[in-house]
Amino acid sequence: MRAMQVRALGAPLELHDVAIPEPGAGEVRLRVLACGLNFADTLVQVGKYQEKFDLPVTPGMELCGVVDALGDGVDSLRMGQRVAANPGRGGLADYAVTPASACVPISDTMSDADAAAFLVAYASSHMALDHRAHLRPGERLLVLGASGGVGLTAVELGKLMGAEVIACARGADKLEIARKAGADHLIDSDTDDLREVVLGLGGADVVYDPIGGDLFTAAMRACNPEARILPIGFASGTVPQIPANILLVKNLTVIGFYVGGYKRFAPEVLTRSFAQLIAWYDAGQLRPHVSNILTLDQANAGLDLLRTRQATGKVVIEISAA
């Protein structure tokens, strides 16, 4: 089969012919239809992701596929069933092996691209806002990087959960995408003073931050007492150093959140989140925004779109098994 692999850290992915993998106990093999790219895939490429993989490694943390083989003990899925899956790696290939527990059956109404763009971004935002920050209706939610893969889902879900949503992104075009996703207020990070604007709106009760850097500091200074801050990622390239004196004076809470960790210590939380998100999609209340659909041999270009923050919403790689 074909697979786009990291063979040297920091180098472009390479397309190789490799053996088709076999599922082990509790696993399934999927014929991959589409793979959603995430910023974390760019970190895998350079060896800076939270989890370390032996080389060569095939990135691709989420995908849409068809069950092609069942490992021992799998009775929750059937051959030929179409699923969305979050295996954590392996999606940029014709076939991928994943734990059956990481698969969610999907209806015919969900396209391959939507399914491949769905689980990681929406689960990250839903679990962060609901399970960790306990976002309540009427609270004011500030979303940084609001037109990106996870940021846009946080805007959409925050509005669905009853929050007043402030979206921060770069430029009018990206802010318009956030507005269409439900944002009540818009901040251009290139031209506006984030702290001044947010305080003028009454301050933030919850901050969702996939960017880090100076924006984290400005957002923290715009928080209301007892606000909750969620560091989701560091797309700016700078991990913020958090001044504990400001946390103390304003009674702030910084909440760590890494969605991948729940596969190990609380998979039932992921399962509940997936079920709720799929139900909202089937009810027409969620719709992934896919800005680019590329082919497998264009995966490096797709990662560049994420790395340079040119993409809005999700980048999807369409794959058809040879």
Side-chain angles (χ1 to χ4, degrees):
M1 70 171 189
R2 301 170 303 157
M4 288 293 280
Q5 296 188 321
V6 178
R7 298 225 164 181
L9 295 179
L13 303 186
E14 299 178 11
L15 185 62
H16 285 273
D17 288 325
V18 301
I20 296 175
E22 295 296 330
E27 296 180 329
V28 297
R29 183 173 67 213
L30 303 176
R31 177 170 58 85
V32 182
L33 303 175
C35 176
L37 297 183
N38 291 275
F39 189 79
D41 291 311
T42 70
L43 301 180
V44 171
Q45 187 180 15
V46 296
K48 293 184 178 180
Y49 187 55
Q50 292 97 320
E51 298 182 41
K52 305 302 180 185
F53 304 119
D54 293 332
L55 300 183
V57 61
T58 301
M61 298 186 169
E62 62 182 329
L63 59 91
C64 172
V66 175
V67 176
D68 178 75
L70 301 172
D72 291 342
V74 176
D75 56 12
S76 58
L77 299 169
R78 65 179 187 276
M79 292 289 292
Q81 191 168 20
R82 189 163 157 271
V83 300
N86 175 23
R89 58 175 167 166
L92 288 175
D94 289 320
Y95 295 89
V97 164
T98 180
S101 59
C103 298
V104 181
I106 55 176
S107 67
D108 292 340
T109 60
M110 180 178 275
S111 69
D112 294 344
D114 277 3
F118 197 78
L119 291 185
V120 170
Y122 278 109
S124 293
S125 294
H126 181 242
M127 290 174 60
L129 296 176
D130 182 64
H131 180 70
R132 294 293 283 147
H134 305 293
L135 179 67
R136 298 183 293 268
E139 289 192 308
R140 197 170 292 111
L141 168 66
L142 170 61
V143 180
L144 307 182
S147 66
V150 291
L152 197 60
T153 63
V155 170
E156 197 175 0
L157 286 166
K159 192 64 178 177
L160 188 58
M161 294 167 68
E164 179 183 347
V165 180
I166 306 170
C168 178
R170 301 172 67 180
D173 292 344
K174 291 184 176 182
L175 287 172
E176 177 60 17
I177 291 170
R179 185 193 65 78
K180 290 180 178 178
D184 298 289
H185 310 284
L186 306 175
I187 297 175
D188 190 329
S189 59
D190 282 339
T191 59
D192 295 331
D193 184 322
L194 183 146
R195 179 173 179 265
E196 179 180 316
V197 174
V198 174
L199 288 175
L201 293 170
D205 301 306
V206 175
V207 176
Y208 182 99
D209 178 19
I211 304 299
D214 292 340
L215 284 178
F216 177 94
T217 303
M220 180 179 62
R221 293 180 179 276
C223 281
N224 290 326
E226 295 193 332
R228 291 89 74 201
I229 306 172
L230 293 153
I232 303 299
F234 312 106
S236 68
T238 302
V239 178
Q241 302 303 300
I242 302 170
N245 61 315
I246 294 179
L247 303 184
L248 182 152
V249 171
K250 300 188 75 171
N251 289 286
L252 303 181
T253 301
V254 178
I255 304 173
F257 176 74
Y258 166 49
V259 67
Y262 283 85
K263 295 179 186 177
R264 295 188 298 273
F265 67 82
E268 69 281 358
V269 179
L270 266 174
T271 300
R272 287 197 300 269
S273 178
F274 288 163
Q276 177 63 79
L277 292 166
I278 291 292
W280 276 333
Y281 180 94
D282 288 341
Q285 294 176 286
L286 295 177
R287 281 295 176 266
H289 175 80
V290 177
S291 63
N292 302 84
I293 298 179
L294 305 173
T295 57
L296 183 60
D297 59 355
Q298 295 175 311
N300 282 305
L303 292 176
D304 285 340
L305 288 171
L306 299 182
R307 191 178 292 108
T308 58
R309 296 165 66 180
Q310 294 181 59
T312 56
K314 296 288 288 191
V315 176
V316 170
I317 303 298
E318 283 191 336
I319 301 169
S320 57

